[in-house]
PDB file of all heavy atoms in Angstrom:
ATOM      1  N   ILE A   1     -54.412  30.416  63.265  1.00 98.00           N
ATOM      2  CA  ILE A   1     -54.615  30.876  64.605  1.00 98.00           C
ATOM      3  C   ILE A   1     -55.307  32.254  64.628  1.00 98.00           C
ATOM      4  O   ILE A   1     -54.848  33.157  64.008  1.00 98.00           O
ATOM      5  CB  ILE A   1     -53.358  31.011  65.436  1.00 98.00           C
ATOM      6  CG1 ILE A   1     -52.421  29.704  65.341  1.00 98.00           C
ATOM      7  CG2 ILE A   1     -53.616  31.414  66.798  1.00 98.00           C
ATOM      8  CD1 ILE A   1     -52.963  28.539  66.105  1.00 98.00           C
ATOM      9  N   SER A   2     -56.410  32.323  65.222  1.00 97.00           N
ATOM     10  CA  SER A   2     -57.154  33.690  65.180  1.00 97.00           C
ATOM     11  C   SER A   2     -56.305  34.820  65.866  1.00 97.00           C
ATOM     12  O   SER A   2     -55.531  34.508  66.639  1.00 97.00           O
ATOM     13  CB  SER A   2     -58.490  33.503  65.987  1.00 97.00           C
ATOM     14  OG  SER A   2     -58.240  33.269  67.407  1.00 97.00           O
ATOM     15  N   ILE A   3     -56.691  35.961  65.391  1.00 97.00           N
ATOM     16  CA  ILE A   3     -55.885  37.097  65.983  1.00 97.00           C
ATOM     17  C   ILE A   3     -55.938  37.266  67.430  1.00 97.00           C
ATOM     18  O   ILE A   3     -54.888  37.710  68.132  1.00 97.00           O
ATOM     19  CB  ILE A   3     -56.382  38.394  65.152  1.00 97.00           C
ATOM     20  CG1 ILE A   3     -55.345  39.551  65.420  1.00 97.00           C
ATOM     21  CG2 ILE A   3     -57.795  38.754  65.622  1.00 97.00           C
ATOM     22  CD1 ILE A   3     -54.127  39.418  64.625  1.00 97.00           C
ATOM     23  N   GLU A   4     -57.002  36.932  68.003  1.00 97.00           N
ATOM     24  CA  GLU A   4     -57.155  36.979  69.457  1.00 97.00           C
ATOM     25  C   GLU A   4     -56.186  36.045  70.217  1.00 97.00           C
ATOM     26  O   GLU A   4     -55.709  36.435  71.322  1.00 97.00           O
ATOM     27  CB  GLU A   4     -58.524  36.626  69.928  1.00 97.00           C
ATOM     28  CG  GLU A   4     -59.727  37.503  69.511  1.00 97.00           C
ATOM     29  CD  GLU A   4     -60.077  37.306  67.998  1.00 97.00           C
ATOM     30  OE1 GLU A   4     -59.559  36.333  67.411  1.00 97.00           O
ATOM     31  OE2 GLU A   4     -60.830  38.188  67.501  1.00 97.00           O
ATOM     32  N   GLN A   5     -55.844  34.991  69.576  1.00 98.00           N
ATOM     33  CA  GLN A   5     -54.864  34.046  70.209  1.00 98.00           C
ATOM     34  C   GLN A   5     -53.449  34.278  69.902  1.00 98.00           C
ATOM     35  O   GLN A   5     -52.536  33.591  70.271  1.00 98.00           O
ATOM     36  CB  GLN A   5     -55.249  32.640  69.708  1.00 98.00           C
ATOM     37  CG  GLN A   5     -56.554  32.169  70.260  1.00 98.00           C
ATOM     38  CD  GLN A   5     -56.880  30.706  69.701  1.00 98.00           C
ATOM     39  OE1 GLN A   5     -57.092  30.513  68.578  1.00 98.00           O
ATOM     40  NE2 GLN A   5     -56.992  29.732  70.600  1.00 98.00           N
ATOM     41  N   LEU A   6     -53.352  35.494  69.059  1.00 98.00           N
ATOM     42  CA  LEU A   6     -52.000  35.896  68.749  1.00 98.00           C
ATOM     43  C   LEU A   6     -51.476  37.099  69.402  1.00 98.00           C
ATOM     44  O   LEU A   6     -50.382  37.616  69.176  1.00 98.00           O
ATOM     45  CB  LEU A   6     -51.841  36.075  67.235  1.00 98.00           C
ATOM     46  CG  LEU A   6     -52.030  34.811  66.394  1.00 98.00           C
ATOM     47  CD1 LEU A   6     -52.208  35.193  64.984  1.00 98.00           C
ATOM     48  CD2 LEU A   6     -50.799  33.922  66.451  1.00 98.00           C
ATOM     49  N   LEU A   7     -52.294  37.557  70.452  1.00 97.00           N
ATOM     50  CA  LEU A   7     -52.077  38.820  71.114  1.00 97.00           C
ATOM     51  C   LEU A   7     -51.884  38.687  72.530  1.00 97.00           C
ATOM     52  O   LEU A   7     -52.417  37.687  73.178  1.00 97.00           O
ATOM     53  CB  LEU A   7     -53.208  39.848  70.800  1.00 97.00           C
ATOM     54  CG  LEU A   7     -53.547  40.237  69.396  1.00 97.00           C
ATOM     55  CD1 LEU A   7     -54.875  41.085  69.289  1.00 97.00           C
ATOM     56  CD2 LEU A   7     -52.302  40.965  68.777  1.00 97.00           C
ATOM     57  N   GLY A   8     -51.009  39.475  73.161  1.00 94.00           N
ATOM     58  CA  GLY A   8     -50.863  39.565  74.512  1.00 94.00           C
ATOM     59  C   GLY A   8     -50.430  38.145  75.204  1.00 94.00           C
ATOM     60  O   GLY A   8     -49.723  37.406  74.571  1.00 94.00           O
ATOM     61  N   ASP A   9     -51.102  37.761  76.317  1.00 95.00           N
ATOM     62  CA  ASP A   9     -50.733  36.594  76.978  1.00 95.00           C
ATOM     63  C   ASP A   9     -51.122  35.319  76.116  1.00 95.00           C
ATOM     64  O   ASP A   9     -50.594  34.271  76.359  1.00 95.00           O
ATOM     65  CB  ASP A   9     -51.353  36.442  78.346  1.00 95.00           C
ATOM     66  CG  ASP A   9     -50.878  37.536  79.359  1.00 95.00           C
ATOM     67  OD1 ASP A   9     -49.748  37.995  79.110  1.00 95.00           O
ATOM     68  OD2 ASP A   9     -51.455  37.907  80.262  1.00 95.00           O
ATOM     69  N   GLN A  10     -52.240  35.524  75.267  1.00 97.00           N
ATOM     70  CA  GLN A  10     -52.704  34.346  74.536  1.00 97.00           C
ATOM     71  C   GLN A  10     -51.557  33.816  73.552  1.00 97.00           C
ATOM     72  O   GLN A  10     -51.495  32.693  73.231  1.00 97.00           O
ATOM     73  CB  GLN A  10     -53.910  34.648  73.787  1.00 97.00           C
ATOM     74  CG  GLN A  10     -55.150  34.874  74.666  1.00 97.00           C
ATOM     75  CD  GLN A  10     -55.505  33.523  75.293  1.00 97.00           C
ATOM     76  OE1 GLN A  10     -55.536  32.458  74.787  1.00 97.00           O
ATOM     77  NE2 GLN A  10     -55.719  33.580  76.615  1.00 97.00           N
ATOM     78  N   LEU A  11     -50.696  34.814  73.033  1.00 98.00           N
ATOM     79  CA  LEU A  11     -49.698  34.432  72.155  1.00 98.00           C
ATOM     80  C   LEU A  11     -48.701  33.513  72.818  1.00 98.00           C
ATOM     81  O   LEU A  11     -48.206  32.433  72.233  1.00 98.00           O
ATOM     82  CB  LEU A  11     -48.968  35.597  71.573  1.00 98.00           C
ATOM     83  CG  LEU A  11     -47.801  35.384  70.637  1.00 98.00           C
ATOM     84  CD1 LEU A  11     -48.258  34.366  69.449  1.00 98.00           C
ATOM     85  CD2 LEU A  11     -47.169  36.652  70.126  1.00 98.00           C
ATOM     86  N   GLU A  12     -48.375  33.760  74.022  1.00 97.00           N
ATOM     87  CA  GLU A  12     -47.475  32.798  74.726  1.00 97.00           C
ATOM     88  C   GLU A  12     -47.935  31.425  74.875  1.00 97.00           C
ATOM     89  O   GLU A  12     -47.299  30.464  74.745  1.00 97.00           O
ATOM     90  CB  GLU A  12     -47.189  33.429  76.236  1.00 97.00           C
ATOM     91  CG  GLU A  12     -46.116  32.638  76.950  1.00 97.00           C
ATOM     92  CD  GLU A  12     -45.889  33.286  78.284  1.00 97.00           C
ATOM     93  OE1 GLU A  12     -46.166  34.414  78.482  1.00 97.00           O
ATOM     94  OE2 GLU A  12     -45.174  32.593  79.150  1.00 97.00           O
ATOM     95  N   LYS A  13     -49.270  31.306  75.180  1.00 98.00           N
ATOM     96  CA  LYS A  13     -49.999  30.006  75.247  1.00 98.00           C
ATOM     97  C   LYS A  13     -49.994  29.198  73.925  1.00 98.00           C
ATOM     98  O   LYS A  13     -49.811  28.066  73.858  1.00 98.00           O
ATOM     99  CB  LYS A  13     -51.465  30.190  75.880  1.00 98.00           C
ATOM    100  CG  LYS A  13     -51.336  30.685  77.369  1.00 98.00           C
ATOM    101  CD  LYS A  13     -52.812  30.862  77.717  1.00 98.00           C
ATOM    102  CE  LYS A  13     -52.942  31.433  79.146  1.00 98.00           C
ATOM    103  NZ  LYS A  13     -54.328  31.747  79.663  1.00 98.00           N
ATOM    104  N   THR A  14     -50.165  30.086  72.906  1.00 98.00           N
ATOM    105  CA  THR A  14     -50.272  29.519  71.537  1.00 98.00           C
ATOM    106  C   THR A  14     -48.886  29.013  71.084  1.00 98.00           C
ATOM    107  O   THR A  14     -48.790  27.919  70.587  1.00 98.00           O
ATOM    108  CB  THR A  14     -50.685  30.566  70.573  1.00 98.00           C
ATOM    109  OG1 THR A  14     -51.991  31.046  70.829  1.00 98.00           O
ATOM    110  CG2 THR A  14     -50.568  30.192  69.081  1.00 98.00           C
ATOM    111  N   LEU A  15     -47.830  29.724  71.427  1.00 98.00           N
ATOM    112  CA  LEU A  15     -46.539  29.288  71.104  1.00 98.00           C
ATOM    113  C   LEU A  15     -46.146  27.986  71.849  1.00 98.00           C
ATOM    114  O   LEU A  15     -45.623  27.058  71.296  1.00 98.00           O
ATOM    115  CB  LEU A  15     -45.495  30.422  71.508  1.00 98.00           C
ATOM    116  CG  LEU A  15     -45.525  31.561  70.634  1.00 98.00           C
ATOM    117  CD1 LEU A  15     -44.595  32.713  71.074  1.00 98.00           C
ATOM    118  CD2 LEU A  15     -45.303  31.384  69.015  1.00 98.00           C
ATOM    119  N   GLU A  16     -46.546  27.981  73.115  1.00 98.00           N
ATOM    120  CA  GLU A  16     -46.209  26.846  73.942  1.00 98.00           C
ATOM    121  C   GLU A  16     -46.918  25.527  73.423  1.00 98.00           C
ATOM    122  O   GLU A  16     -46.261  24.514  73.276  1.00 98.00           O
ATOM    123  CB  GLU A  16     -46.700  27.114  75.426  1.00 98.00           C
ATOM    124  CG  GLU A  16     -46.434  26.011  76.296  1.00 98.00           C
ATOM    125  CD  GLU A  16     -46.837  26.214  77.812  1.00 98.00           C
ATOM    126  OE1 GLU A  16     -47.248  27.302  78.064  1.00 98.00           O
ATOM    127  OE2 GLU A  16     -46.834  25.353  78.654  1.00 98.00           O
ATOM    128  N   TYR A  17     -48.269  25.655  73.093  1.00 98.00           N
ATOM    129  CA  TYR A  17     -48.970  24.582  72.599  1.00 98.00           C
ATOM    130  C   TYR A  17     -48.361  23.994  71.230  1.00 98.00           C
ATOM    131  O   TYR A  17     -48.168  22.872  71.162  1.00 98.00           O
ATOM    132  CB  TYR A  17     -50.403  25.011  72.275  1.00 98.00           C
ATOM    133  CG  TYR A  17     -51.343  23.783  71.903  1.00 98.00           C
ATOM    134  CD1 TYR A  17     -52.135  23.157  72.837  1.00 98.00           C
ATOM    135  CD2 TYR A  17     -51.311  23.281  70.561  1.00 98.00           C
ATOM    136  CE1 TYR A  17     -52.927  22.031  72.513  1.00 98.00           C
ATOM    137  CE2 TYR A  17     -52.098  22.269  70.226  1.00 98.00           C
ATOM    138  CZ  TYR A  17     -52.951  21.672  71.095  1.00 98.00           C
ATOM    139  OH  TYR A  17     -53.841  20.578  70.771  1.00 98.00           O
ATOM    140  N   ASN A  18     -48.064  24.909  70.338  1.00 98.00           N
ATOM    141  CA  ASN A  18     -47.591  24.555  69.085  1.00 98.00           C
ATOM    142  C   ASN A  18     -46.103  23.959  69.074  1.00 98.00           C
ATOM    143  O   ASN A  18     -45.774  23.124  68.322  1.00 98.00           O
ATOM    144  CB  ASN A  18     -47.662  25.741  68.048  1.00 98.00           C
ATOM    145  CG  ASN A  18     -49.051  25.933  67.563  1.00 98.00           C
ATOM    146  OD1 ASN A  18     -49.494  25.372  66.541  1.00 98.00           O
ATOM    147  ND2 ASN A  18     -49.781  26.783  68.227  1.00 98.00           N
ATOM    148  N   GLU A  19     -45.387  24.534  70.056  1.00 98.00           N
ATOM    149  CA  GLU A  19     -43.947  24.028  70.253  1.00 98.00           C
ATOM    150  C   GLU A  19     -44.132  22.520  70.651  1.00 98.00           C
ATOM    151  O   GLU A  19     -43.356  21.625  70.195  1.00 98.00           O
ATOM    152  CB  GLU A  19     -43.269  24.812  71.132  1.00 98.00           C
ATOM    153  CG  GLU A  19     -41.791  24.343  71.340  1.00 98.00           C
ATOM    154  CD  GLU A  19     -41.027  25.338  72.153  1.00 98.00           C
ATOM    155  OE1 GLU A  19     -41.509  25.942  73.059  1.00 98.00           O
ATOM    156  OE2 GLU A  19     -39.687  25.334  71.878  1.00 98.00           O
ATOM    157  N   THR A  20     -45.033  22.214  71.591  1.00 98.00           N
ATOM    158  CA  THR A  20     -45.215  20.876  72.035  1.00 98.00           C
ATOM    159  C   THR A  20     -45.555  19.911  70.933  1.00 98.00           C
ATOM    160  O   THR A  20     -45.077  18.820  70.929  1.00 98.00           O
ATOM    161  CB  THR A  20     -46.410  20.806  73.159  1.00 98.00           C
ATOM    162  OG1 THR A  20     -45.983  21.622  74.244  1.00 98.00           O
ATOM    163  CG2 THR A  20     -46.545  19.466  73.701  1.00 98.00           C
ATOM    164  N   ILE A  21     -46.521  20.405  70.063  1.00 98.00           N
ATOM    165  CA  ILE A  21     -46.784  19.429  68.929  1.00 98.00           C
ATOM    166  C   ILE A  21     -45.872  19.385  67.838  1.00 98.00           C
ATOM    167  O   ILE A  21     -45.975  18.661  66.860  1.00 98.00           O
ATOM    168  CB  ILE A  21     -48.283  19.613  68.474  1.00 98.00           C
ATOM    169  CG1 ILE A  21     -48.401  20.992  67.725  1.00 98.00           C
ATOM    170  CG2 ILE A  21     -49.259  19.656  69.558  1.00 98.00           C
ATOM    171  CD1 ILE A  21     -49.677  21.324  66.962  1.00 98.00           C
ATOM    172  N   GLY A  22     -44.809  20.297  67.868  1.00 98.00           N
ATOM    173  CA  GLY A  22     -43.855  20.366  66.884  1.00 98.00           C
ATOM    174  C   GLY A  22     -44.217  21.205  65.601  1.00 98.00           C
ATOM    175  O   GLY A  22     -43.668  20.988  64.527  1.00 98.00           O
ATOM    176  N   ASN A  23     -45.194  22.091  65.785  1.00 98.00           N
ATOM    177  CA  ASN A  23     -45.655  22.936  64.679  1.00 98.00           C
ATOM    178  C   ASN A  23     -45.024  24.326  64.839  1.00 98.00           C
ATOM    179  O   ASN A  23     -45.220  25.070  65.845  1.00 98.00           O
ATOM    180  CB  ASN A  23     -47.106  23.175  64.588  1.00 98.00           C
ATOM    181  CG  ASN A  23     -47.583  24.167  63.600  1.00 98.00           C
ATOM    182  OD1 ASN A  23     -47.165  24.048  62.415  1.00 98.00           O
ATOM    183  ND2 ASN A  23     -48.281  25.193  63.945  1.00 98.00           N
ATOM    184  N   TYR A  24     -44.258  24.772  63.811  1.00 98.00           N
ATOM    185  CA  TYR A  24     -43.516  26.093  63.889  1.00 98.00           C
ATOM    186  C   TYR A  24     -43.891  27.051  62.900  1.00 98.00           C
ATOM    187  O   TYR A  24     -43.360  28.081  62.657  1.00 98.00           O
ATOM    188  CB  TYR A  24     -42.021  25.866  63.869  1.00 98.00           C
ATOM    189  CG  TYR A  24     -41.469  25.203  65.151  1.00 98.00           C
ATOM    190  CD1 TYR A  24     -41.424  23.752  65.217  1.00 98.00           C
ATOM    191  CD2 TYR A  24     -41.106  25.895  66.310  1.00 98.00           C
ATOM    192  CE1 TYR A  24     -41.009  23.151  66.396  1.00 98.00           C
ATOM    193  CE2 TYR A  24     -40.772  25.273  67.420  1.00 98.00           C
ATOM    194  CZ  TYR A  24     -40.715  23.823  67.395  1.00 98.00           C
ATOM    195  OH  TYR A  24     -40.279  23.271  68.558  1.00 98.00           O
ATOM    196  N   LEU A  25     -44.999  26.857  62.353  1.00 98.00           N
ATOM    197  CA  LEU A  25     -45.653  27.776  61.309  1.00 98.00           C
ATOM    198  C   LEU A  25     -47.064  28.164  61.804  1.00 98.00           C
ATOM    199  O   LEU A  25     -48.026  27.414  61.831  1.00 98.00           O
ATOM    200  CB  LEU A  25     -45.790  27.141  59.934  1.00 98.00           C
ATOM    201  CG  LEU A  25     -46.527  27.910  58.860  1.00 98.00           C
ATOM    202  CD1 LEU A  25     -45.822  29.291  58.731  1.00 98.00           C
ATOM    203  CD2 LEU A  25     -46.614  27.128  57.536  1.00 98.00           C
ATOM    204  N   LEU A  26     -47.222  29.497  62.226  1.00 98.00           N
ATOM    205  CA  LEU A  26     -48.455  30.023  62.658  1.00 98.00           C
ATOM    206  C   LEU A  26     -48.924  30.955  61.579  1.00 98.00           C
ATOM    207  O   LEU A  26     -48.163  31.843  61.058  1.00 98.00           O
ATOM    208  CB  LEU A  26     -48.216  30.744  63.916  1.00 98.00           C
ATOM    209  CG  LEU A  26     -47.667  29.975  65.115  1.00 98.00           C
ATOM    210  CD1 LEU A  26     -47.562  30.770  66.351  1.00 98.00           C
ATOM    211  CD2 LEU A  26     -48.406  28.721  65.441  1.00 98.00           C
ATOM    212  N   ILE A  27     -50.278  30.902  61.294  1.00 98.00           N
ATOM    213  CA  ILE A  27     -50.875  31.689  60.232  1.00 98.00           C
ATOM    214  C   ILE A  27     -52.071  32.321  60.819  1.00 98.00           C
ATOM    215  O   ILE A  27     -53.017  31.698  61.324  1.00 98.00           O
ATOM    216  CB  ILE A  27     -51.241  30.678  59.002  1.00 98.00           C
ATOM    217  CG1 ILE A  27     -50.049  29.950  58.597  1.00 98.00           C
ATOM    218  CG2 ILE A  27     -51.859  31.594  57.977  1.00 98.00           C
ATOM    219  CD1 ILE A  27     -50.293  28.695  57.794  1.00 98.00           C
ATOM    220  N   CYS A  28     -52.211  33.626  60.539  1.00 98.00           N
ATOM    221  CA  CYS A  28     -53.434  34.340  60.872  1.00 98.00           C
ATOM    222  C   CYS A  28     -54.241  34.197  59.680  1.00 98.00           C
ATOM    223  O   CYS A  28     -53.984  34.543  58.607  1.00 98.00           O
ATOM    224  CB  CYS A  28     -53.049  35.901  61.011  1.00 98.00           C
ATOM    225  SG  CYS A  28     -54.594  36.871  61.354  1.00 98.00           S
ATOM    226  N   PRO A  29     -55.549  33.576  59.917  1.00 98.00           N
ATOM    227  CA  PRO A  29     -56.333  33.178  58.794  1.00 98.00           C
ATOM    228  C   PRO A  29     -57.217  34.360  58.125  1.00 98.00           C
ATOM    229  O   PRO A  29     -57.639  34.187  57.086  1.00 98.00           O
ATOM    230  CB  PRO A  29     -57.315  32.184  59.463  1.00 98.00           C
ATOM    231  CG  PRO A  29     -57.366  32.576  60.858  1.00 98.00           C
ATOM    232  CD  PRO A  29     -56.028  33.094  61.183  1.00 98.00           C
TER     233      PRO A  29
END
């Protein structure tokens, strides 16, 4: 997940999406 998607409001959306698909490991590339 790009750093931009891990900051602010984007992080909440990122967490929501990954929780839906069942992925609980997020990695800044």
Side-chain angles (χ1 to χ4, degrees):
I1 309 290
S2 68
I3 193 72
E4 293 80 10
Q5 293 175 296
L6 293 168
L7 299 173
D9 294 339
Q10 288 299 312
L11 178 54
E12 185 177 343
K13 294 177 182 177
T14 295
L15 293 173
E16 182 180 350
Y17 185 100
N18 282 274
E19 185 171 30
T20 299
I21 67 170
N23 174 55
Y24 290 91
L25 174 58
L26 303 183
I27 303 158
C28 179

